[in-house]
Amino acid sequence: MKKKLLVAAIFAATAAMQAQAATLGDENLSISGFGTLGVAKSNTDQAQFARYNQAEGVADKAKIGLDTNLGLQATYKINDWLSGTAQILTRKNTSPTFTTDLTWAFLKARVNDEVSVRVGRVVLPTFLISDYQNVGYANTMMRPPIEMYGQAPIENVDGADINFQRAFGDFNFTTQAFVGVSRGKLFVPTGAGSVATYRAPAAGISFTGEYGPFLVRVGHARADLKINDLAPINGLTAQLTQFGFKPLADDLGLTNGKKIAFTSIGATMDWHNIVVQTEYAQRRAKEAVYIPDTNAWYTMVGYRVGKVLPYYAHASYRDAGSSVTPPASLPKNHPLGAAVYGLLPSPEQTSDLIGVRWDFAKSVALKVQADRVKPKTKAGSLIFVKPGFSGNVTVVAAALDFVF
C-alpha cells in the first residue's frame, strides 16, 4: 500500500506543479522538477546495499526506497539582475522513511555577463556532478558510485558563492568559490544504526573547462567538522579518557571540530556516440581524527545506439592511511587497543556495474542496472552486515527517471 501511495503522490505532484505553473500567469516565475521511481533488490539477506548516508538499504526483497526521489524547484525573476531559487527534495536519507528537505534556497545577483553571486543555501561543488547528482535523468548511471560519493556526504552550505564564466573562442571556463556553514545529519551504521548531527564551516573552489564534447572539473573543499552526538566514538573516547588515554581520545573525537580536506578531478566526454565519465578524489584529515584518509575513483564508458545507451563502470575506494597514531602504551591485544586499531583503517570496496538507459519518450528515461559489489575490508560500504558474512553482493534495479 505504501508503494502505491508513493507512486500516486509522485505523479499527482508532477501534474499539480505543471498545472500551477500554467495558471499562475507570471512570466517571471518558473517551476520545474525531477524524479525517479525505482525498485531494487540484492541477492542476500546478510547485508544491505545503500546509497551514501541512507539509513535503510536493500537486501533480498525488492524495495523502492534506494533510488526513488522527487524534487521540485521554483525560480522567480525579481528584476534583470536579481532572482530567487528554492528546491525541495523528497527521498530516503538518514531516516528509514521518506523525508523532505530544503536543498537549495538562494538569491542570485548577476553582476555582469560573466560574474554572479548567490547568497543562501547553495550546493558544494565538491564532485564532478555535484550540481545534479540527485537528478537521475541528468545522469547516465542509475546512481552516483558510492565508492566516490560516500567519501564526502555533505551536499550544501548556508553561505554564499561567486561564479565567474568566460568563453575563450570555443573553450568555456568557469570557476566557483564558496564559503558557508553546513548543518545536517549523518547516518552511523554501527550496531542498530544511529543519526548524528553535524556542523561544518566550509570553504572551497572549483574550476571547470569545457571544449566541445569534453569537460574537465577540478574541485577542492575544506570543512571543520564538529559532531557532539556521535555515540559510538563518544563511548570509545570516554573509556580512553577513563583509562588515562585522554590525548588519544582528543585525537579521535569530533566534539571540538576537526579539519578535513577533499580534492577531486573529473571529466566527461560525449563524442561520436561514445560516452565516458571518470573521477578521482582524495580525502585527507588535516588534524588528527578517527576518520581515515581515502583515495577513490571510478570510470564509466558507454555507447549510444539511437535512444539506447548501454554502459559499464568500475569503481573503487581504498585506505590511504590514518592521521592518528596510538601510543605504544596501548597494546593491540588490550580490548581498548583492539577497538582503536580496528577503528582507524578505512573500509575498502570495488564495484563493477552494467546497465542500459533507454530514452523512450520526451523527458523520460528507463534504466536497468546490475551492480556487483565486492567489499575488501570491514564490509566496504554495506550496512547492517550480519556476523560472519564476507561475500560479494549483487544488486539489480530498474528505474524511471523524468524531468518536467
Side-chain angles (χ1 to χ4, degrees):
M1 179 59 71
K2 289 183 179 179
K3 294 181 181 180
K4 293 181 180 179
L5 289 174
L6 178 65
V7 173
I10 288 177
F11 285 104
T14 301
M17 292 302 291
Q18 289 176 321
Q20 182 73 1
T23 58
L24 283 171
D26 190 340
E27 61 182 12
N28 293 323
L29 177 65
S30 62
I31 298 175
S32 59
F34 60 89
T36 295
L37 183 60
V39 61
K41 69 181 295 292
S42 78
N43 64 335
T44 181
D45 64 352
Q46 299 298 299
Q48 293 185 19
F49 173 83
R51 288 185 177 225
Y52 53 90
N53 214 25
Q54 277 190 333
E56 182 182 68
V58 294
D60 61 343
K61 295 182 179 179
K63 292 187 175 183
I64 65 171
L66 182 66
D67 299 307
T68 297
N69 68 11
L70 178 65
L72 301 173
Q73 180 176 314
T75 297
Y76 188 82
K77 182 180 178 182
I78 300 170
N79 53 41
D80 290 340
W81 61 272
L82 185 64
S83 64
T85 297
Q87 182 189 94
I88 58 173
L89 178 62
T90 298
R91 59 180 170 176
K92 279 193 174 183
N93 201 20
T94 57
S95 169
T97 60
F98 283 91
T99 57
T100 300
D101 299 307
L102 181 66
T103 48
W104 296 2
F106 57 81
L107 288 174
K108 179 179 179 181
R110 187 175 66 86
V111 179
N112 54 43
D113 291 340
E114 296 180 334
V115 179
S116 63
V117 177
R118 300 187 300 180
V119 178
R121 179 163 294 178
V122 297
V123 173
L124 271 73
T126 313
F127 296 104
L128 175 65
I129 60 170
S130 289
D131 295 333
Y132 53 93
Q133 62 177 299
N134 295 311
V135 185
Y137 185 82
N139 292 283
T140 301
M141 293 179 284
M142 190 169 293
R143 67 189 72 89
I146 189 173
E147 290 83 359
M148 171 65 67
Y149 285 73
Q151 304 311 302
I154 298 175
E155 294 184 2
N156 51 48
V157 295
D158 296 330
D161 67 10
I162 182 169
N163 294 264
F164 171 80
Q165 185 175 24
R166 175 173 290 181
F168 300 90
D170 294 331
F171 177 80
N172 292 313
F173 172 77
T174 303
T175 184
Q176 178 183 357
F178 76 91
V179 63
V181 178
S182 180
R183 301 175 181 86
K185 297 178 180 180
L186 295 175
F187 178 69
V188 184
T190 304
S194 60
V195 177
T197 304
Y198 73 86
R199 182 182 185 275
I205 192 168
S206 69
F207 304 94
T208 304
E210 187 173 5
Y211 182 80
F214 306 99
L215 182 146
V216 176
R217 183 172 186 173
V218 179
H220 179 77
R222 294 196 176 206
D224 189 359
L225 182 63
K226 182 177 182 178
I227 306 177
N228 290 322
D229 56 351
L230 192 56
I233 302 303
N234 291 351
L236 175 59
T237 57
Q239 292 185 57
L240 289 168
T241 300
Q242 180 182 353
F243 284 91
F245 295 100
K246 189 177 188 309
L248 177 59
D250 292 340
D251 283 349
L252 293 174
L254 284 165
T255 55
N256 296 321
K258 298 294 178 65
K259 294 180 174 61
I260 300 173
F262 190 85
T263 304
S264 68
I265 179 170
T268 62
M269 182 191 79
D270 193 337
W271 179 69
H272 291 298
N273 293 323
I274 301 172
V275 179
V276 178
Q277 181 175 316
T278 187
E279 201 165 358
Y280 173 82
Q282 295 183 344
R283 184 182 68 200
R284 295 292 185 267
K286 297 304 178 181
E287 296 179 290
V289 67
Y290 84 93
I291 298 174
D293 296 340
T294 58
N295 297 330
W297 69 275
Y298 71 89
T299 296
M300 182 214 72
V301 293
Y303 189 83
R304 186 180 293 106
V305 181
K307 295 183 178 181
V308 177
L309 175 59
Y311 56 88
Y312 163 80
H314 178 81
S316 171
Y317 77 104
R318 300 283 185 179
D319 180 86
S322 173
S323 57
V324 174
T325 302
S329 57
L330 181 64
K332 292 183 179 181
N333 59 357
H334 187 278
L336 276 179
V340 171
Y341 282 99
L343 172 69
L344 295 179
S346 169
E348 296 183 334
Q349 177 177 296
T350 64
S351 290
D352 292 283
L353 65 90
I354 57 171
V356 61
R357 171 182 175 140
W358 177 29
D359 289 87
F360 67 93
K362 182 180 178 180
S363 302
V364 182
L366 175 66
K367 296 177 187 175
V368 178
Q369 182 172 303
D371 298 60
R372 184 63 170 171
V373 183
K374 305 170 185 177
K376 301 299 182 182
T377 60
K378 300 173 73 172
S381 295
L382 299 176
I383 63 175
F384 301 133
V385 179
K386 295 183 179 179
F389 179 76
S390 61
N392 300 331
V393 174
T394 299
V395 181
V396 293
L400 195 66
D401 295 326
F402 55 91
V403 293
F404 57 92

PDB file of all heavy atoms in Angstrom, residues 162-194:
ATOM      1  N   ILE A 162      30.468  32.674  -5.440  1.00  0.00           N
ATOM      2  CA  ILE A 162      30.656  33.580  -6.560  1.00  0.00           C
ATOM      3  C   ILE A 162      31.073  32.745  -7.761  1.00  0.00           C
ATOM      4  O   ILE A 162      31.906  31.836  -7.642  1.00  0.00           O
ATOM      5  CB  ILE A 162      31.695  34.677  -6.235  1.00  0.00           C
ATOM      6  CG1 ILE A 162      31.831  35.647  -7.419  1.00  0.00           C
ATOM      7  CG2 ILE A 162      33.040  34.083  -5.840  1.00  0.00           C
ATOM      8  CD1 ILE A 162      32.623  36.891  -7.084  1.00  0.00           C
ATOM      9  N   ASN A 163      30.453  33.034  -8.896  1.00  0.00           N
ATOM     10  CA  ASN A 163      30.709  32.277 -10.116  1.00  0.00           C
ATOM     11  C   ASN A 163      31.237  33.214 -11.193  1.00  0.00           C
ATOM     12  O   ASN A 163      30.687  34.305 -11.418  1.00  0.00           O
ATOM     13  CB  ASN A 163      29.418  31.622 -10.619  1.00  0.00           C
ATOM     14  CG  ASN A 163      28.895  30.569  -9.672  1.00  0.00           C
ATOM     15  OD1 ASN A 163      29.157  29.399  -9.834  1.00  0.00           O
ATOM     16  ND2 ASN A 163      28.148  30.999  -8.654  1.00  0.00           N
ATOM     17  N   PHE A 164      32.302  32.769 -11.853  1.00  0.00           N
ATOM     18  CA  PHE A 164      32.880  33.514 -12.971  1.00  0.00           C
ATOM     19  C   PHE A 164      32.920  32.614 -14.187  1.00  0.00           C
ATOM     20  O   PHE A 164      33.370  31.464 -14.105  1.00  0.00           O
ATOM     21  CB  PHE A 164      34.289  33.990 -12.639  1.00  0.00           C
ATOM     22  CG  PHE A 164      35.022  34.587 -13.814  1.00  0.00           C
ATOM     23  CD1 PHE A 164      34.776  35.889 -14.219  1.00  0.00           C
ATOM     24  CD2 PHE A 164      35.954  33.833 -14.525  1.00  0.00           C
ATOM     25  CE1 PHE A 164      35.450  36.437 -15.309  1.00  0.00           C
ATOM     26  CE2 PHE A 164      36.623  34.361 -15.615  1.00  0.00           C
ATOM     27  CZ  PHE A 164      36.375  35.669 -16.001  1.00  0.00           C
ATOM     28  N   GLN A 165      32.432  33.108 -15.317  1.00  0.00           N
ATOM     29  CA  GLN A 165      32.382  32.312 -16.539  1.00  0.00           C
ATOM     30  C   GLN A 165      32.823  33.163 -17.717  1.00  0.00           C
ATOM     31  O   GLN A 165      32.372  34.305 -17.883  1.00  0.00           O
ATOM     32  CB  GLN A 165      30.975  31.770 -16.779  1.00  0.00           C
ATOM     33  CG  GLN A 165      30.862  30.820 -17.962  1.00  0.00           C
ATOM     34  CD  GLN A 165      29.471  30.213 -18.075  1.00  0.00           C
ATOM     35  OE1 GLN A 165      28.505  30.779 -17.591  1.00  0.00           O
ATOM     36  NE2 GLN A 165      29.374  29.058 -18.696  1.00  0.00           N
ATOM     37  N   ARG A 166      33.715  32.599 -18.537  1.00  0.00           N
ATOM     38  CA  ARG A 166      34.184  33.334 -19.715  1.00  0.00           C
ATOM     39  C   ARG A 166      34.472  32.349 -20.835  1.00  0.00           C
ATOM     40  O   ARG A 166      34.985  31.245 -20.605  1.00  0.00           O
ATOM     41  CB  ARG A 166      35.440  34.135 -19.397  1.00  0.00           C
ATOM     42  CG  ARG A 166      36.061  34.834 -20.614  1.00  0.00           C
ATOM     43  CD  ARG A 166      37.196  35.757 -20.235  1.00  0.00           C
ATOM     44  NE  ARG A 166      36.689  36.935 -19.532  1.00  0.00           N
ATOM     45  CZ  ARG A 166      37.487  37.923 -19.106  1.00  0.00           C
ATOM     46  NH1 ARG A 166      38.796  37.842 -19.298  1.00  0.00           N
ATOM     47  NH2 ARG A 166      36.971  38.968 -18.490  1.00  0.00           N
ATOM     48  N   ALA A 167      34.157  32.760 -22.043  1.00  0.00           N
ATOM     49  CA  ALA A 167      34.430  31.961 -23.236  1.00  0.00           C
ATOM     50  C   ALA A 167      35.692  32.477 -23.914  1.00  0.00           C
ATOM     51  O   ALA A 167      35.846  33.688 -24.126  1.00  0.00           O
ATOM     52  CB  ALA A 167      33.253  32.013 -24.187  1.00  0.00           C
ATOM     53  N   PHE A 168      36.598  31.560 -24.234  1.00  0.00           N
ATOM     54  CA  PHE A 168      37.796  31.868 -24.997  1.00  0.00           C
ATOM     55  C   PHE A 168      37.692  31.116 -26.315  1.00  0.00           C
ATOM     56  O   PHE A 168      38.136  29.977 -26.435  1.00  0.00           O
ATOM     57  CB  PHE A 168      39.049  31.440 -24.231  1.00  0.00           C
ATOM     58  CG  PHE A 168      39.207  32.124 -22.898  1.00  0.00           C
ATOM     59  CD1 PHE A 168      38.659  31.557 -21.746  1.00  0.00           C
ATOM     60  CD2 PHE A 168      39.892  33.321 -22.792  1.00  0.00           C
ATOM     61  CE1 PHE A 168      38.815  32.175 -20.512  1.00  0.00           C
ATOM     62  CE2 PHE A 168      40.053  33.944 -21.558  1.00  0.00           C
ATOM     63  CZ  PHE A 168      39.502  33.371 -20.422  1.00  0.00           C
ATOM     64  N   GLY A 169      37.024  31.739 -27.272  1.00  0.00           N
ATOM     65  CA  GLY A 169      36.734  31.034 -28.506  1.00  0.00           C
ATOM     66  C   GLY A 169      35.744  29.924 -28.249  1.00  0.00           C
ATOM     67  O   GLY A 169      34.655  30.154 -27.707  1.00  0.00           O
ATOM     68  N   ASP A 170      36.135  28.695 -28.587  1.00  0.00           N
ATOM     69  CA  ASP A 170      35.261  27.541 -28.357  1.00  0.00           C
ATOM     70  C   ASP A 170      35.457  26.909 -26.982  1.00  0.00           C
ATOM     71  O   ASP A 170      34.806  25.916 -26.658  1.00  0.00           O
ATOM     72  CB  ASP A 170      35.513  26.472 -29.437  1.00  0.00           C
ATOM     73  CG  ASP A 170      35.091  26.943 -30.818  1.00  0.00           C
ATOM     74  OD1 ASP A 170      34.168  27.777 -30.899  1.00  0.00           O
ATOM     75  OD2 ASP A 170      35.699  26.486 -31.808  1.00  0.00           O
ATOM     76  N   PHE A 171      36.361  27.487 -26.178  1.00  0.00           N
ATOM     77  CA  PHE A 171      36.644  26.947 -24.848  1.00  0.00           C
ATOM     78  C   PHE A 171      35.917  27.776 -23.801  1.00  0.00           C
ATOM     79  O   PHE A 171      36.064  28.997 -23.742  1.00  0.00           O
ATOM     80  CB  PHE A 171      38.144  26.964 -24.572  1.00  0.00           C
ATOM     81  CG  PHE A 171      38.510  26.479 -23.191  1.00  0.00           C
ATOM     82  CD1 PHE A 171      38.564  25.124 -22.914  1.00  0.00           C
ATOM     83  CD2 PHE A 171      38.792  27.385 -22.171  1.00  0.00           C
ATOM     84  CE1 PHE A 171      38.909  24.667 -21.653  1.00  0.00           C
ATOM     85  CE2 PHE A 171      39.133  26.937 -20.907  1.00  0.00           C
ATOM     86  CZ  PHE A 171      39.188  25.576 -20.650  1.00  0.00           C
ATOM     87  N   ASN A 172      35.115  27.105 -22.964  1.00  0.00           N
ATOM     88  CA  ASN A 172      34.375  27.775 -21.893  1.00  0.00           C
ATOM     89  C   ASN A 172      35.016  27.460 -20.547  1.00  0.00           C
ATOM     90  O   ASN A 172      35.231  26.283 -20.203  1.00  0.00           O
ATOM     91  CB  ASN A 172      32.911  27.319 -21.876  1.00  0.00           C
ATOM     92  CG  ASN A 172      32.149  27.794 -23.098  1.00  0.00           C
ATOM     93  OD1 ASN A 172      32.239  28.961 -23.467  1.00  0.00           O
ATOM     94  ND2 ASN A 172      31.402  26.894 -23.729  1.00  0.00           N
ATOM     95  N   PHE A 173      35.300  28.505 -19.792  1.00  0.00           N
ATOM     96  CA  PHE A 173      35.940  28.362 -18.486  1.00  0.00           C
ATOM     97  C   PHE A 173      35.004  28.883 -17.403  1.00  0.00           C
ATOM     98  O   PHE A 173      34.422  29.963 -17.533  1.00  0.00           O
ATOM     99  CB  PHE A 173      37.256  29.133 -18.435  1.00  0.00           C
ATOM    100  CG  PHE A 173      37.878  29.189 -17.065  1.00  0.00           C
ATOM    101  CD1 PHE A 173      38.556  28.097 -16.551  1.00  0.00           C
ATOM    102  CD2 PHE A 173      37.752  30.334 -16.279  1.00  0.00           C
ATOM    103  CE1 PHE A 173      39.122  28.136 -15.283  1.00  0.00           C
ATOM    104  CE2 PHE A 173      38.320  30.382 -15.015  1.00  0.00           C
ATOM    105  CZ  PHE A 173      39.004  29.277 -14.512  1.00  0.00           C
ATOM    106  N   THR A 174      34.865  28.114 -16.323  1.00  0.00           N
ATOM    107  CA  THR A 174      34.030  28.513 -15.187  1.00  0.00           C
ATOM    108  C   THR A 174      34.774  28.236 -13.893  1.00  0.00           C
ATOM    109  O   THR A 174      35.398  27.180 -13.740  1.00  0.00           O
ATOM    110  CB  THR A 174      32.704  27.735 -15.173  1.00  0.00           C
ATOM    111  OG1 THR A 174      32.019  27.927 -16.409  1.00  0.00           O
ATOM    112  CG2 THR A 174      31.813  28.209 -14.028  1.00  0.00           C
ATOM    113  N   THR A 175      34.709  29.172 -12.971  1.00  0.00           N
ATOM    114  CA  THR A 175      35.233  28.931 -11.633  1.00  0.00           C
ATOM    115  C   THR A 175      34.183  29.333 -10.609  1.00  0.00           C
ATOM    116  O   THR A 175      33.422  30.284 -10.829  1.00  0.00           O
ATOM    117  CB  THR A 175      36.551  29.692 -11.383  1.00  0.00           C
ATOM    118  OG1 THR A 175      37.061  29.334 -10.090  1.00  0.00           O
ATOM    119  CG2 THR A 175      36.328  31.197 -11.418  1.00  0.00           C
ATOM    120  N   GLN A 176      34.119  28.599  -9.535  1.00  0.00           N
ATOM    121  CA  GLN A 176      33.128  28.819  -8.487  1.00  0.00           C
ATOM    122  C   GLN A 176      33.802  28.708  -7.127  1.00  0.00           C
ATOM    123  O   GLN A 176      34.465  27.709  -6.835  1.00  0.00           O
ATOM    124  CB  GLN A 176      31.997  27.797  -8.587  1.00  0.00           C
ATOM    125  CG  GLN A 176      30.930  27.901  -7.508  1.00  0.00           C
ATOM    126  CD  GLN A 176      29.878  26.802  -7.630  1.00  0.00           C
ATOM    127  OE1 GLN A 176      29.910  26.004  -8.551  1.00  0.00           O
ATOM    128  NE2 GLN A 176      28.955  26.772  -6.684  1.00  0.00           N
ATOM    129  N   ALA A 177      33.684  29.737  -6.305  1.00  0.00           N
ATOM    130  CA  ALA A 177      34.234  29.730  -4.947  1.00  0.00           C
ATOM    131  C   ALA A 177      33.092  29.899  -3.957  1.00  0.00           C
ATOM    132  O   ALA A 177      32.159  30.671  -4.205  1.00  0.00           O
ATOM    133  CB  ALA A 177      35.265  30.840  -4.774  1.00  0.00           C
ATOM    134  N   PHE A 178      33.159  29.189  -2.838  1.00  0.00           N
ATOM    135  CA  PHE A 178      32.072  29.249  -1.866  1.00  0.00           C
ATOM    136  C   PHE A 178      32.622  29.329  -0.455  1.00  0.00           C
ATOM    137  O   PHE A 178      33.757  28.924  -0.167  1.00  0.00           O
ATOM    138  CB  PHE A 178      31.150  28.034  -1.987  1.00  0.00           C
ATOM    139  CG  PHE A 178      31.731  26.773  -1.404  1.00  0.00           C
ATOM    140  CD1 PHE A 178      31.510  26.425  -0.074  1.00  0.00           C
ATOM    141  CD2 PHE A 178      32.512  25.934  -2.181  1.00  0.00           C
ATOM    142  CE1 PHE A 178      32.056  25.273   0.463  1.00  0.00           C
ATOM    143  CE2 PHE A 178      33.070  24.781  -1.650  1.00  0.00           C
ATOM    144  CZ  PHE A 178      32.833  24.452  -0.320  1.00  0.00           C
ATOM    145  N   VAL A 179      31.799  29.834   0.456  1.00  0.00           N
ATOM    146  CA  VAL A 179      32.092  29.825   1.873  1.00  0.00           C
ATOM    147  C   VAL A 179      30.773  29.779   2.627  1.00  0.00           C
ATOM    148  O   VAL A 179      29.772  30.353   2.175  1.00  0.00           O
ATOM    149  CB  VAL A 179      32.918  31.068   2.290  1.00  0.00           C
ATOM    150  CG1 VAL A 179      32.137  32.348   2.064  1.00  0.00           C
ATOM    151  CG2 VAL A 179      33.371  30.979   3.747  1.00  0.00           C
ATOM    152  N   GLY A 180      30.735  29.067   3.739  1.00  0.00           N
ATOM    153  CA  GLY A 180      29.484  28.968   4.497  1.00  0.00           C
ATOM    154  C   GLY A 180      29.583  27.924   5.584  1.00  0.00           C
ATOM    155  O   GLY A 180      30.674  27.449   5.931  1.00  0.00           O
ATOM    156  N   VAL A 181      28.446  27.562   6.105  1.00  0.00           N
ATOM    157  CA  VAL A 181      28.356  26.558   7.166  1.00  0.00           C
ATOM    158  C   VAL A 181      27.338  25.502   6.749  1.00  0.00           C
ATOM    159  O   VAL A 181      26.205  25.830   6.379  1.00  0.00           O
ATOM    160  CB  VAL A 181      27.934  27.184   8.513  1.00  0.00           C
ATOM    161  CG1 VAL A 181      27.799  26.104   9.579  1.00  0.00           C
ATOM    162  CG2 VAL A 181      28.941  28.241   8.956  1.00  0.00           C
ATOM    163  N   SER A 182      27.748  24.264   6.794  1.00  0.00           N
ATOM    164  CA  SER A 182      26.848  23.154   6.503  1.00  0.00           C
ATOM    165  C   SER A 182      26.341  22.566   7.821  1.00  0.00           C
ATOM    166  O   SER A 182      27.115  22.364   8.757  1.00  0.00           O
ATOM    167  CB  SER A 182      27.557  22.072   5.690  1.00  0.00           C
ATOM    168  OG  SER A 182      26.673  20.993   5.411  1.00  0.00           O
ATOM    169  N   ARG A 183      25.057  22.331   7.872  1.00  0.00           N
ATOM    170  CA  ARG A 183      24.430  21.716   9.043  1.00  0.00           C
ATOM    171  C   ARG A 183      23.525  20.592   8.555  1.00  0.00           C
ATOM    172  O   ARG A 183      22.803  20.758   7.572  1.00  0.00           O
ATOM    173  CB  ARG A 183      23.604  22.726   9.835  1.00  0.00           C
ATOM    174  CG  ARG A 183      24.394  23.923  10.358  1.00  0.00           C
ATOM    175  CD  ARG A 183      23.460  24.917  11.010  1.00  0.00           C
ATOM    176  NE  ARG A 183      24.141  26.100  11.514  1.00  0.00           N
ATOM    177  CZ  ARG A 183      24.405  27.174  10.790  1.00  0.00           C
ATOM    178  NH1 ARG A 183      24.047  27.215   9.516  1.00  0.00           N
ATOM    179  NH2 ARG A 183      25.034  28.208  11.327  1.00  0.00           N
ATOM    180  N   GLY A 184      23.552  19.487   9.251  1.00  0.00           N
ATOM    181  CA  GLY A 184      22.705  18.388   8.824  1.00  0.00           C
ATOM    182  C   GLY A 184      22.893  17.151   9.671  1.00  0.00           C
ATOM    183  O   GLY A 184      23.405  17.213  10.792  1.00  0.00           O
ATOM    184  N   LYS A 185      22.496  16.009   9.091  1.00  0.00           N
ATOM    185  CA  LYS A 185      22.544  14.747   9.809  1.00  0.00           C
ATOM    186  C   LYS A 185      23.365  13.736   9.018  1.00  0.00           C
ATOM    187  O   LYS A 185      23.354  13.734   7.785  1.00  0.00           O
ATOM    188  CB  LYS A 185      21.131  14.197  10.036  1.00  0.00           C
ATOM    189  CG  LYS A 185      20.247  15.084  10.911  1.00  0.00           C
ATOM    190  CD  LYS A 185      18.855  14.495  11.042  1.00  0.00           C
ATOM    191  CE  LYS A 185      17.964  15.380  11.915  1.00  0.00           C
ATOM    192  NZ  LYS A 185      16.597  14.815  12.052  1.00  0.00           N
ATOM    193  N   LEU A 186      24.052  12.877   9.750  1.00  0.00           N
ATOM    194  CA  LEU A 186      24.813  11.791   9.161  1.00  0.00           C
ATOM    195  C   LEU A 186      24.359  10.483   9.777  1.00  0.00           C
ATOM    196  O   LEU A 186      24.228  10.382  11.009  1.00  0.00           O
ATOM    197  CB  LEU A 186      26.314  11.987   9.394  1.00  0.00           C
ATOM    198  CG  LEU A 186      26.963  13.197   8.717  1.00  0.00           C
ATOM    199  CD1 LEU A 186      28.418  13.312   9.148  1.00  0.00           C
ATOM    200  CD2 LEU A 186      26.853  13.120   7.210  1.00  0.00           C
ATOM    201  N   PHE A 187      24.124   9.489   8.930  1.00  0.00           N
ATOM    202  CA  PHE A 187      23.726   8.182   9.445  1.00  0.00           C
ATOM    203  C   PHE A 187      24.971   7.388   9.818  1.00  0.00           C
ATOM    204  O   PHE A 187      25.932   7.299   9.056  1.00  0.00           O
ATOM    205  CB  PHE A 187      22.912   7.421   8.407  1.00  0.00           C
ATOM    206  CG  PHE A 187      22.530   6.047   8.872  1.00  0.00           C
ATOM    207  CD1 PHE A 187      21.619   5.876   9.898  1.00  0.00           C
ATOM    208  CD2 PHE A 187      23.098   4.920   8.297  1.00  0.00           C
ATOM    209  CE1 PHE A 187      21.272   4.610  10.349  1.00  0.00           C
ATOM    210  CE2 PHE A 187      22.760   3.652   8.734  1.00  0.00           C
ATOM    211  CZ  PHE A 187      21.843   3.501   9.762  1.00  0.00           C
ATOM    212  N   VAL A 188      24.939   6.802  11.004  1.00  0.00           N
ATOM    213  CA  VAL A 188      26.052   5.994  11.516  1.00  0.00           C
ATOM    214  C   VAL A 188      25.590   4.539  11.552  1.00  0.00           C
ATOM    215  O   VAL A 188      24.749   4.173  12.377  1.00  0.00           O
ATOM    216  CB  VAL A 188      26.477   6.459  12.924  1.00  0.00           C
ATOM    217  CG1 VAL A 188      27.700   5.677  13.392  1.00  0.00           C
ATOM    218  CG2 VAL A 188      26.750   7.960  12.930  1.00  0.00           C
ATOM    219  N   PRO A 189      26.098   3.672  10.655  1.00  0.00           N
ATOM    220  CA  PRO A 189      25.559   2.313  10.539  1.00  0.00           C
ATOM    221  C   PRO A 189      26.089   1.326  11.565  1.00  0.00           C
ATOM    222  O   PRO A 189      25.924   0.119  11.410  1.00  0.00           O
ATOM    223  CB  PRO A 189      25.986   1.911   9.122  1.00  0.00           C
ATOM    224  CG  PRO A 189      27.244   2.669   8.889  1.00  0.00           C
ATOM    225  CD  PRO A 189      27.095   3.964   9.621  1.00  0.00           C
ATOM    226  N   THR A 190      26.734   1.795  12.628  1.00  0.00           N
ATOM    227  CA  THR A 190      27.254   0.904  13.669  1.00  0.00           C
ATOM    228  C   THR A 190      26.113   0.320  14.497  1.00  0.00           C
ATOM    229  O   THR A 190      25.180   1.038  14.871  1.00  0.00           O
ATOM    230  CB  THR A 190      28.212   1.667  14.593  1.00  0.00           C
ATOM    231  OG1 THR A 190      29.246   2.259  13.802  1.00  0.00           O
ATOM    232  CG2 THR A 190      28.834   0.736  15.613  1.00  0.00           C
ATOM    233  N   GLY A 191      26.184  -0.977  14.771  1.00  0.00           N
ATOM    234  CA  GLY A 191      25.152  -1.629  15.577  1.00  0.00           C
ATOM    235  C   GLY A 191      23.796  -1.549  14.904  1.00  0.00           C
ATOM    236  O   GLY A 191      23.636  -1.896  13.733  1.00  0.00           O
ATOM    237  N   ALA A 192      22.804  -1.072  15.641  1.00  0.00           N
ATOM    238  CA  ALA A 192      21.460  -0.922  15.088  1.00  0.00           C
ATOM    239  C   ALA A 192      21.315   0.357  14.266  1.00  0.00           C
ATOM    240  O   ALA A 192      20.261   0.589  13.677  1.00  0.00           O
ATOM    241  CB  ALA A 192      20.432  -0.930  16.220  1.00  0.00           C
ATOM    242  N   GLY A 193      22.363   1.172  14.238  1.00  0.00           N
ATOM    243  CA  GLY A 193      22.308   2.422  13.485  1.00  0.00           C
ATOM    244  C   GLY A 193      21.878   3.582  14.349  1.00  0.00           C
ATOM    245  O   GLY A 193      21.060   3.433  15.264  1.00  0.00           O
ATOM    246  N   SER A 194      22.449   4.734  14.088  1.00  0.00           N
ATOM    247  CA  SER A 194      22.075   5.953  14.797  1.00  0.00           C
ATOM    248  C   SER A 194      22.297   7.142  13.877  1.00  0.00           C
ATOM    249  O   SER A 194      22.920   7.012  12.822  1.00  0.00           O
ATOM    250  CB  SER A 194      22.906   6.108  16.082  1.00  0.00           C
ATOM    251  OG  SER A 194      24.291   6.188  15.778  1.00  0.00           O
TER     252      SER A 194
END
